[in-house]
Amino acid sequence: MRVVKGGSREEWADYVAEMLIARLQVRPALRLCLPTGLTPVPIYERVAAAVAAGRASFRETEVFLLDEFGGVEPDDPGRCDQMLRRFLLANVNLPDARFHRFRLDGDIEAECRAYEQAIGAGCDLTLLGLGGNGHIGMNEPGALPDSLTRRVDLAPETTAASARYFAHDRLPTWGVTMGMATIMRSEEIWLLAAGARKAGIVQRTVREDVSPSLPASLLRSHPTTLLIVDDDAGREI
Ligand code: F6R
């Protein structure tokens, strides 16, 4: 895993956004896995501005949502698909048919199998945030390297942390997520972290043994993972 220190939070967001814009320019039919959470928001704003300015396009791109909260209303603004729409997709020209997300009102196992099939050999590029307990997507501590897209229970601390996405206190206790193996099939992975709150878990991700007890550490076995941190998140490495 190569580590890139991106400077201030603004510089870090500029850096990641420009790299993503460059990928879209070189490969317009990019197959992209995108997270939600708060980490990527400034990056998405910059990429949307670049699309508005005609510097990039999602017209041929395919987007796979990384994960989704279960047990919340389909139109809840805290849902991952709603967040990705609000912060990025509503402002870019991605055809709706090429936005892959999870429908959780039917047979969830069948939905997860279909998701795996749609991803096939893997995404070209996967962006990831980093949970405070080292989770990746909703792969909580204990997630195995060969795990696929599936329903998962959230760790209590992940449920508690989700309060910042929801305007009510009916917080999710489960979700569906691409598995560690699904993520690791991606040609490129960018693990993103910003802010002092992430400094400790960034340090553990880089220094602790590679182990399912710290899912982010498993990414160190991937040949092209970049860990891209701002100065605050990277201050202990
Ligand atoms: C969201 C996701 C989560 C977040 C992580 C960090 O789709 O997959 O793993 O990336 O919980 O969340 P933030 O960015 O809000 O600190």
Side-chain angles (χ1 to χ4, degrees):
M1 173 149 65
R2 274 209 302 135
V3 180
V4 180
K5 290 200 185 179
S8 70
R9 196 175 194 127
E10 295 291 303
E11 289 165 338
W12 165 87
D14 286 343
Y15 177 82
V16 180
E18 286 304 321
M19 288 216 304
L20 181 50
I21 292 161
R23 289 294 187 285
L24 289 164
Q25 289 168 343
V26 170
R27 203 189 284 192
L30 197 66
R31 302 181 78 234
L32 195 53
C33 166
L34 294 178
T36 54
L38 300 185
T39 302
V41 171
I43 297 163
Y44 293 159
E45 286 169 354
R46 284 159 170 79
V47 171
V51 171
R55 293 184 55 222
S57 172
F58 280 74
R59 202 179 306 281
E60 296 174 43
T61 307
E62 198 163 11
V63 170
F64 292 88
L65 186 64
L66 173 65
D67 50 10
E68 187 57 271
F69 291 115
V72 293
E73 293 297 316
D75 58 352
D76 191 311
R79 257 180 79 112
C80 299
D81 58 359
Q82 296 285 341
M83 286 180 71
L84 192 63
R85 277 196 200 283
R86 193 159 71 248
F87 292 122
L88 180 69
L89 300 182
N91 307 316
V92 302
N93 52 349
L94 178 78
D96 202 49
R98 284 208 291 278
F99 175 33
H100 301 268
R101 61 204 170 91
F102 299 94
R103 283 174 189 79
L104 300 181
D105 48 0
D107 180 342
I108 292 177
E109 268 185 38
E111 177 76 6
C112 291
R113 277 197 303 275
Y115 215 75
E116 279 291 327
Q117 271 195 339
I119 295 166
C123 290
D124 298 321
L125 172 62
T126 296
L127 272 56
L128 298 170
L130 177 59
N133 62 0
H135 71 228
I136 291 298
M138 294 179 191
N139 292 282
E140 299 283 18
L144 297 175
D146 61 357
S147 55
L148 297 176
T149 302
R150 67 203 186 289
R151 178 185 164 136
V152 288
D153 290 328
L154 299 181
E157 60 269 27
T158 303
T159 292
S162 74
R164 60 192 192 281
Y165 313 137
F166 292 96
H168 52 75
D169 57 7
R170 299 179 307 283
L171 300 179
T173 57
W174 63 277
V176 289
T177 183
M178 286 190 193
M180 290 308 303
T182 324
I183 291 167
M184 299 281 270
R185 294 205 301 273
S186 186
E187 190 179 318
E188 275 190 284
I189 298 174
W190 300 347
L191 176 59
L192 310 172
R197 197 166 65 84
K198 297 290 171 75
I201 192 62
V202 164
Q203 197 256 15
R204 291 184 56 205
T205 298
V206 172
R207 301 265 185 265
E208 280 189 11
D209 290 345
V210 172
S211 158
S213 63
L214 189 62
S217 71
L218 298 174
L219 300 172
R220 282 166 39 206
S221 315
H222 184 275
T224 64
T225 294
L226 288 184
L227 168 62
I228 313 172
V229 293
D230 73 350
D231 285 341
D232 286 338
R235 72 184 181 194
E236 291 180 28
I237 55 171

